[in-house]
Every structure is written in structure tokens, then in C-alpha cells.
Amino acid sequence: MPVNYSTIDTLIIGQGLAGSILAWQLMKSGQKTMVISDDAPPSASRVAAGLFNPVTGKRLVLQTHAETIIPAAKELYRELEAHFDQRFFHEKSMLRVIKDAKEHKSFEKRSKDPAYAQYLGEICDPPASLISSNEVFEQHSTGYLDTNRLLDCLRDYFIAQESYRSALCNYNDLTITDKTISWSGIKTQRIIFCEGFMGKNNPWFNWLPFQPAKGEILSLRTDHSLPDQIINGGKWLLPVHDGSYKTGATYDHDLSSITPSEAGKAELIDGMQKLFSSAIEFELLDHKAGVRPNTLDKQPFIGLHPRQPEIGIFNGFGSKGSMLIPYYSKAFAMHLIDGSPIPVEADICRIQHG
Ligand SMILES: Cc1cc2nc3c(=O)[nH]c(=O)nc-3n(C[C@H](O)[C@H](O)[C@H](O)COP(=O)(O)OP(=O)(O)OC[C@H]3O[C@@H](n4cnc5c(N)ncnc54)[C@H](O)[C@@H]3O)c2cc1C
């Protein structure tokens, strides 16, 4: 039953994965919440492959708080799946290619560490089609989120609750007093910005060290018989539930153009082909680009403005939104409701306000 929203608790700006899931957590707790989002591109969430991988990089680094972050994500996605009667999170193991002696050494070291036990499998023989004949190992607790399907369901849900407006929120249109914030006829106790990389231009939070990175990704179809696992060897190839594949991603701090490029496409095709022992014929279905909201210290930006606590930010999930947002959205929702602490590594208090 839609609520009368003449005065609401929280206005959320941005319906990417961050704003959508934070809104869901707040509404679940009975908070009157409204989401405003500019539907025009770019939204990183609409481009992302949604890969979910707790152990990343050449040095095989385990995600901080993986032991709580991973279960929190799986629990939330199952809850959303039950609510919408749809499948969003697809568990899929990953074949990680060991490219050189250094990576082999990292694997040896990590595989002796009990903290990694549930995430790393054994070194095994690669499938015949893989070029990386040397070595591969399996990674567990990996998979992908069907982000577009989830965002469509959540947007429809917000619309049904009369809690969504498709609009660009111009900062100059906000009227802020010490009691309320007004925007386009809506009065709210607080506003939380979930603007993705565009948060770097937000006048209340432009002192936070964002380090956005453009990324490109391809969707393709092939008749080759390939492993039904994510293959990760620098570039990665993800088998998607509809029979297509995604391959990605490029990584570039140059934002002079944020649209798909021929150079990006060539880099991705070359990287994908290098995963295999012979050339893969494929049909290109789609080519997209987006900008990741990365941060200098690779941790999220969560919290309320140091001088205007009615204004907050929930951002900075970099390349790991699908894994991190469920855990941090729950923590931030609790902070907004009862003052529970924000996890220190993500709290914007760690950065001095300029
Ligand atoms: C190529 C690529 C591949 C990626 N692959 C993965 C992956 O495999 N796994 C993974 O976990 N992550 C991946 N990511 C990262 C992931 O996309 C992000 O971590 C996550 O989606 C960020 O979500 P967000 O809601 O913070 O930002 P966004 O998705 O960018 O959402 C922000 C939204 O706010 C809206 N907005 C901004 N300002 C305003 C305003 N003033 N008024 C109204 N609306 C506004 C924007 O239009 C947008 O819709 C990838 C990103 C890219 C670009």
C-alpha cells in the first residue's frame, strides 16, 4: 500500500545498485523513502557484468571482511529473489589461469592460509581448449549478479510504492534548512547521494578522493563448446544464463570519452582470444562502456556530511558493487535508523574534510 509521502524520511539520489539496495533496506525497516534517478546513461550498474569474486588481482588478495560480506550478499539476493520470484544471483565457479611463476608463488602462499580455504581450490589440468596449458585453479564463492534484471524489478517496485521519480536532481533545486530539505514538492528529513562516479562533482562531497575508471565490456555468442565456468586470465569470459557470453573489462582513468571505443573493443577481443588455444569464432552482440566509482584507497565512501548531517553519501564501490553493496547498505541503513556505527574502513570520517 503506497504511503503518503508529503514528508519523507530519506530521499535517495541515483537508482544504480547502491541507491536501489539502500532504498530497499530502508523501506524494509519501515522508513519512508523515495528514489530520484536520471534514467539517461551513464550508470555503471547497467553496464557491469556483476561478477562476484572474493579473491582478486595478481597477488590473490582476499576481500576485507569476506567472511561477513559474502554471506550478507548471498542472503540479500536470495531475499530479493524470493520477493520478486526471479533469479538474480547465479553461482558459478571460476577457473583462474596462472600466468607465470610469480602468480604460482602467490597461489602457493595463499593456499596455505586457512582464511583462503573456502575460496581457493586445487591446481588442476586446464580444459583442452584453454591456452594457459601451464596451470589453472578453481575459485569458489564466485558467480555473477544479473544486475539489470534486479534494477528493473526494484524500479518497478519503487514505482508501485509511488516512491520513484525519473529526473535529474540539480543541486541548485534543493532547498536546505536545518529542519528539512525540499526538492520539487517533496520534503525530506535527509538526502543520500548515490550518484556513482558523478558523485565526484557533488558540492557537498567533492573533497572525497574519487578515482573513477572507465571500463568497456562486450557481449557475444559463439557455437564453440566452452567450459561452463568463468574463465579469468587477465581478461575474463563469463557464460551467461541466456547462452551468451560477456567478456571484459578494460580499465582506464582517462575519462575524456566515456563511450565505447574501437581500441577498447580490440583490446577485449585480443584478451578473450588469448584465453584459448585456437581462435574462437563469435558474433558480437553488444559493446558497452561505463565508469566505475573507484576511490583512492579502494574503500567505499559512506557517511553523513561532517557539518550538514542531513546530507549523506553512499558511493565508492569501485569494481565490486555486486559483492559489497548488500553488506554496506545494511550497515548504513542501521546507522541512519539507530546510529549503529558505520564500518570504519568505509566511513568518510577517515578522510579529512578539506
Ligand atoms: C565495464 C564495467 C564492468 C564492471 N564489472 C563489474 C563486475 O563484474 N562486478 C561488480 O561488482 N562491479 C562491476 N563494475 C562496477 C559496478 O558497476 C559498480 O560498483 C556499481 O554498479 C556502482 O553502482 P552505483 O549505484 O554506485 O553507481 P551507478 O550504477 O553509476 O548509479 C548511479 C546512478 O545515479 C544516477 N545519478 C547520478 N547523479 C544524479 C543526479 N544528480 N540526479 C539523478 N540521478 C543521478 C545515474 O544516472 C545512475 O543511474 C563494473 C563497472 C564497469 C563500468
Side-chain angles (χ1 to χ4, degrees):
M1 176 83 173
V3 196
N4 176 358
Y5 282 109
S6 56
T7 298
I8 60 169
D9 297 311
T10 307
L11 184 64
I12 287 183
I13 307 302
Q15 199 242 329
L17 202 55
S20 299
I21 293 187
L22 181 63
W24 171 264
Q25 302 275 26
L26 289 168
M27 289 165 104
K28 213 170 67 174
S29 305
Q31 293 274 303
K32 293 181 190 170
T33 305
M34 182 135 200
V35 181
I36 309 297
S37 197
D38 180 16
D39 286 338
S43 157
S45 308
R46 293 283 181 180
V47 172
L51 278 183
F52 193 99
N53 180 12
V55 180
T56 53
K58 281 181 188 303
R59 289 173 46 246
L60 301 176
V61 177
L62 179 61
Q63 173 61 45
T64 320
H65 303 319
E67 67 293 349
T68 36
I69 283 176
I70 308 294
K74 289 185 179 174
E75 189 186 322
L76 182 75
Y77 295 138
R78 296 295 167 239
E79 171 189 314
L80 288 160
E81 287 176 345
H83 182 91
F84 291 108
D85 195 19
Q86 297 260 358
R87 180 118 185 255
F88 302 125
F89 182 62
H90 299 259
E91 302 222 20
K92 205 168 262 297
S93 65
M94 178 180 278
L95 273 185
R96 173 71 195 256
V97 175
I98 299 182
K99 288 205 278 200
D100 51 35
K102 220 168 156 186
E103 286 189 21
H104 181 93
K105 214 169 152 196
S106 292
F107 174 81
E108 292 277 285
K109 183 176 159 207
R110 301 304 194 194
S111 59
K112 286 187 194 114
D113 182 340
Y116 283 70
Q118 59 179 305
Y119 305 111
L120 299 185
E122 301 287 316
I123 289 188
C124 54
D125 288 338
S129 57
L130 281 184
I131 193 171
S132 335
S133 44
N134 311 342
E135 289 174 319
V136 296
F137 63 91
E138 214 173 4
Q139 276 185 242
H140 309 302
S141 263
T142 50
Y144 70 98
L145 179 71
D146 188 346
T147 317
N148 275 301
R149 181 178 291 209
L150 174 59
L151 291 184
D152 287 346
C153 285
L154 283 168
R155 188 189 50 209
D156 291 348
Y157 173 78
F158 300 145
I159 291 170
Q161 302 294 311
E162 296 177 15
S163 302
Y164 183 80
R165 280 210 207 156
S166 170
L168 177 72
C169 173
N170 283 312
Y171 308 121
N172 292 338
D173 296 340
L174 291 164
T175 308
I176 302 174
T177 68
D178 53 355
K179 295 247 160 40
T180 52
I181 299 172
S182 306
W183 178 85
S184 188
I186 300 166
K187 282 193 172 147
T188 180
Q189 301 293 322
R190 65 171 90 88
I191 185 166
I192 307 292
F193 288 101
C194 309
E195 303 168 281
F197 87 100
M198 285 176 277
K200 71 182 173 49
N201 301 322
N202 184 300
W204 291 279
F205 295 105
N206 54 12
W207 47 279
L208 293 171
F210 278 96
Q211 215 175 46
K214 178 183 174 183
E216 299 185 43
I217 199 164
L218 302 178
S219 290
L220 44 102
R221 198 175 296 285
T222 176
D223 292 332
H224 283 260
S225 170
L226 301 176
D228 186 30
Q229 285 165 300
I230 304 162
I231 301 169
N232 186 357
K235 296 289 182 271
W236 45 257
L237 185 73
L238 165 70
V240 184
H241 54 278
D242 66 0
S244 68
Y245 290 83
K246 286 187 178 173
T247 191
T250 61
Y251 194 95
D252 195 347
H253 288 296
D254 177 4
L255 303 188
S256 51
S257 157
I258 57 171
T259 54
S261 69
E262 283 307 309
K265 181 161 76 175
E267 180 185 327
L268 291 174
I269 292 172
D270 182 56
M272 187 271 291
Q273 295 288 14
K274 280 189 176 141
L275 294 170
F276 298 99
S277 49
S278 55
I280 301 292
E281 281 172 38
F282 65 89
E283 176 196 352
L284 187 60
L285 303 176
D286 204 1
H287 178 193
K288 285 187 176 162
V291 183
R292 304 170 183 90
N294 287 9
T295 67
L296 191 60
D297 66 1
K298 302 186 175 25
Q299 298 292 344
F301 290 152
I302 303 176
L304 301 173
H305 190 275
R307 289 194 206 114
Q308 288 176 275
E310 65 282 10
I311 304 174
I313 185 164
F314 186 67
N315 203 332
F317 297 99
S319 308
K320 296 184 177 177
S322 57
M323 196 166 63
L324 302 185
I325 288 170
Y327 168 77
Y328 285 109
S329 60
K330 190 171 178 182
F332 193 36
M334 293 315 296
H335 178 76
L336 295 176
I337 293 166
D338 66 12
S340 303
I342 297 169
V344 284
E345 70 282 0
D347 193 330
I348 54 169
C349 284
R350 72 187 187 278
I351 296 147
Q352 191 162 10
H353 182 207

